[in-house]
Amino acid sequence: MKLFLLILFCCTIITTYAQEKIIHIGTHPFIIKNISSYNENGDSTRQVELYRGQTKLLTHTISKAEGDCNSEAIELGTYALTDSTITFYSYWATAGDAPVDPFGARKQVYQVTANGNLSFKQGSIYLETSRKGWHGDNGIQFLFAPPKNDIEKEQLQQYTTQVEELYKASFVIGDRKDNLLKEVKAKLKTAIAVQTKGWKEHYGGMIGGCRM
């Protein structure tokens, strides 16, 4: 987990572009700013920032890609509006031989109150921060094989709690995990197809292969 976080924050952003638009949730106006950034390695990140007036409420990643000649990792996102909510979707996928790249999905629902405030309603996440068998995360192995004793159960609990705190969502497994992945993949179907085109052909035979 620590190595995964280090990778996320080690790149230096050197170029940033921004555009903005007004959206309405019910009768309440919000500002969405679209931010595009590029680092010194040419990796790109697109994010949206949500504002109420001059106050920034949150940031959500729309597209992030990192990699080298032997691996790729992407984070994709989108959002959807109703007359009282805004829902954010995130999807992570990896290919190649990098063992600490993430795979999973997240859904976060925010409610807009009668006075126009944004309130977190609920969130769900399933996230593998590294590949099966990678020694860096003691608890992650129990996502693939059920824990057999109290020590293993505690390790799994520590892992899921850490993910929940970092990504502000409740960790789900089993059928709830499958349903979450299915829903998020459907929301991001086109973006996933574009970003992962050719992955299986190029990376399928490498260590780790593709996690899509």
Side-chain angles (χ1 to χ4, degrees):
M1 176 72 77
K2 291 181 180 179
L3 181 57
F4 167 56
L5 295 177
L6 178 61
I7 293 172
L8 283 180
F9 292 105
C10 69
C11 295
T12 302
I13 301 300
I14 59 173
T15 307
T16 302
Y17 303 96
Q19 295 178 326
E20 64 179 63
K21 65 178 180 180
I22 296 175
I23 63 171
H24 285 82
I25 305 175
T27 60
H28 302 288
F30 293 83
I31 298 173
I32 287 277
K33 291 186 179 181
N34 293 277
I35 312 294
S36 297
S37 304
Y38 304 86
N39 66 24
E40 57 189 359
N41 297 319
D43 296 323
S44 63
T45 300
R46 291 196 301 119
Q47 296 177 311
V48 292
E49 296 177 346
L50 182 67
Y51 287 78
R52 175 69 165 152
Q54 299 299 313
T55 302
K56 184 168 75 170
L57 304 176
L58 55 83
T59 301
H60 183 68
T61 298
I62 298 298
S63 176
K64 184 175 182 178
E66 297 178 315
D68 54 32
C69 59
N70 294 321
S71 64
E72 291 184 56
I74 59 170
E75 178 181 352
L76 302 174
T78 190
Y79 61 91
L81 305 175
T82 71
D83 59 357
S84 61
T85 64
I86 181 168
T87 301
F88 294 93
Y89 301 90
S90 299
Y91 178 74
W92 293 267
T94 66
D97 61 358
V100 295
D101 291 329
F103 166 77
R106 179 182 64 175
K107 175 183 177 181
Q108 294 174 305
V109 183
Y110 289 83
Q111 183 87 33
V112 177
T113 63
N115 59 4
N117 292 325
L118 195 69
S119 175
F120 180 72
K121 186 177 181 181
Q122 62 184 19
S124 302
I125 188 169
Y126 174 80
L127 186 65
E128 301 166 11
T129 56
S130 61
R131 298 184 188 276
K132 182 179 180 180
W134 177 247
H135 60 79
D137 293 323
N138 290 330
I140 193 173
Q141 59 187 310
F142 305 115
L143 295 178
F144 309 103
K148 297 178 181 179
N149 54 53
D150 290 343
I151 294 176
E152 293 179 351
K153 290 178 181 178
E154 178 62 24
Q155 289 177 330
L156 175 60
Q157 182 64 48
Q158 289 176 355
Y159 173 80
T160 57
T161 297
Q162 192 172 12
V163 171
E164 289 177 337
E165 292 175 351
L166 186 61
Y167 291 94
K168 197 174 182 181
S170 297
F171 205 100
V172 295
I173 58 176
D175 290 342
R176 295 181 64 194
K177 176 201 78 172
D178 296 338
N179 291 336
L180 175 65
L181 285 167
K182 182 178 180 180
E183 179 181 2
V184 173
K185 284 183 177 181
K187 293 291 183 180
L188 289 159
K189 180 178 180 180
T190 300
I192 292 171
V194 170
Q195 292 292 328
T196 63
K197 185 178 181 181
W199 272 17
K200 289 185 177 180
E201 292 78 9
H202 185 71
Y203 295 107
M206 298 184 65
I207 298 172
C210 302
R211 293 190 296 163
M212 298 162 49

